[in-house]
């Protein structure tokens, strides 16, 4: 799934970029200076220069630099259109995650119902799992979100939209065919693909994530086996 997501991002984003250019929508890197946004141009030494005045941008200002889109789509400002699509694509990823992740846990509840009839119905289990997942996301998802949004690759709004769209489509299609995939794996794969396109992929962070993926499965299996043996030893 993450490899497929990476390949799709590599293919889809250049197509979206071509469509943007055909529609006459341009992009530029800008920083907020007072109440205005000033266009900046990257220099060979890695610094930024204000296009209008030639003044170098300080490090603190450079951290506030981001890409803006100029032009209109169907008479609407391109930036507004993309912002709306970006929110929708983020919601689609959240929906796809619930669609694929919740049944994974409910499967355990169904198995438990088969072994101990009457303990809990699958429908109640579905609701409980959804609620707990939502609470866990609100309380503990910030660090993961920070890593994925900032530490894998630099992204323009269009690139972020592409990564969301690829992730949502892959996970939703997998759910349609009953395939349990990781939403995070798909998302990281698409972000890595974006990083390869714009050449800002942070390989060290990606390798760290890969190590976490490799160690998660055996660690989870070992913990489950240990807990089972403990419960069996005390007669539960």
């Amino acid at each position: 799934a993450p490899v497929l997501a990476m390949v799709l991002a590599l293919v889809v984003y250049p197509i979206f970029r071509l469509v943007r250019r055909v529609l006459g929508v341009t992009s530029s890197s800008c920083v907020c200076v007072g109440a205005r946004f000033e266009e900046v141009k990257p220099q060979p030494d890695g610094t930024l220069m204000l296009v209008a005045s030639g003044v170098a941008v300080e490090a603190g200002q450079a951290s506030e630099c981001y890409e803006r889109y100029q032009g209109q789509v169907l008479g609407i400002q391109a930036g507004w259109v993309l912002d709306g699509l970006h929110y929708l694509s983020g919601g689609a990823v959240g929906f796809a995650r619930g669609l694929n992740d919740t049944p994974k846990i409910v499967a355990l509840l169904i198995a438990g119902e088969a072994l101990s009839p009457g303990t809990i119905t699958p429908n109640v289990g579905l609701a409980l799992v959804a609620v707990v997942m939502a609470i866990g996301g609100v309380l503990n998802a910030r660090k993961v979100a920070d890593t994925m949004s900032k530490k894998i690759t630099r992204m323009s709004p269009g690139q972020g939209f592409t990564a969301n769209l690829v992730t949502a489509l892959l996970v939703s299609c997998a759910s349609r065919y009953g395939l349990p995939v990781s939403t995070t794996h798909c998302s990281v794969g698409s972000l890595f693909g974006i990083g390869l396109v714009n050449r800002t992929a942070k390989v060290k962070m990606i390798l760290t994530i890969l190590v976490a993926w490799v160690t998660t499965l055996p660690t989870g299996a070992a913990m489950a086996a240990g807990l089972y043996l403990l419960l069996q030893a005390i007669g539960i």
Side-chain angles (χ1 to χ4, degrees), residues 75-94:
I76 306 174
Q77 286 294 331
W80 294 354
V81 172
L82 185 57
D83 284 346
L85 291 175
H86 206 162
Y87 277 110
L88 290 175
S89 68
V93 172

Side-chain angles (χ1 to χ4, degrees), residues 126-145:
L126 183 67
L128 290 175
V129 170
V131 170
V132 173
M133 286 176 64
I135 294 174
V138 171
L139 296 178
N140 297 313
R142 186 174 297 275
K143 288 185 178 180
V144 176

Side-chain angles (χ1 to χ4, degrees), residues 40-191:
V40 295
K41 183 177 181 180
Q43 300 301 298
D45 60 358
T47 60
L48 300 174
M49 181 185 70
L50 293 178
V51 173
S53 61
V55 175
V57 178
E58 296 178 1
Q61 294 170 307
S63 65
E64 303 299 324
C65 183
Y66 63 97
E67 191 166 338
R68 289 170 57 105
Y69 291 96
Q70 303 292 335
Q72 294 188 340
V73 178
L74 300 177
I76 306 174
Q77 286 294 331
W80 294 354
V81 172
L82 185 57
D83 284 346
L85 291 175
H86 206 162
Y87 277 110
L88 290 175
S89 68
V93 172
F95 176 80
R97 175 179 181 262
L99 193 65
N100 196 276
D101 285 9
T102 305
K104 297 172 187 174
I105 309 302
V106 173
L108 300 178
L109 297 175
I110 293 175
E113 168 68 12
L115 294 174
S116 303
T119 54
I120 187 171
T121 64
N123 287 337
V124 173
L126 183 67
L128 290 175
V129 170
V131 170
V132 173
M133 286 176 64
I135 294 174
V138 171
L139 296 178
N140 297 313
R142 186 174 297 275
K143 288 185 178 180
V144 176
D146 185 65
T147 296
M148 295 180 67
S149 62
K150 300 176 182 178
K151 298 180 181 179
I152 295 177
T153 181
R154 290 184 60 184
M155 286 183 290
S156 67
Q159 292 164 352
F161 165 71
T162 303
N164 276 350
L165 189 62
V166 167
T167 301
L169 288 175
L170 270 180
V171 177
S172 297
C173 288
S175 301
R176 172 65 179 81
Y177 294 100
L179 301 176
V181 299
S182 168
T183 308
T184 307
H185 285 191
C186 292
S187 185
V188 169
S190 61
L191 291 173

Side-chain angles (χ1 to χ4, degrees), residues 6 9-10 13 152-155 159 163 187-203 206:
M6 179 185 69
L10 280 168
Y13 178 68
I152 295 177
T153 181
R154 290 184 60 184
M155 286 183 290
Q159 292 164 352
S187 185
V188 169
S190 61
L191 291 173
F192 188 27
I194 293 297
L196 293 178
V197 171
N198 62 24
R199 299 181 181 180
T200 63
K202 299 177 182 178
V203 178
I206 293 170

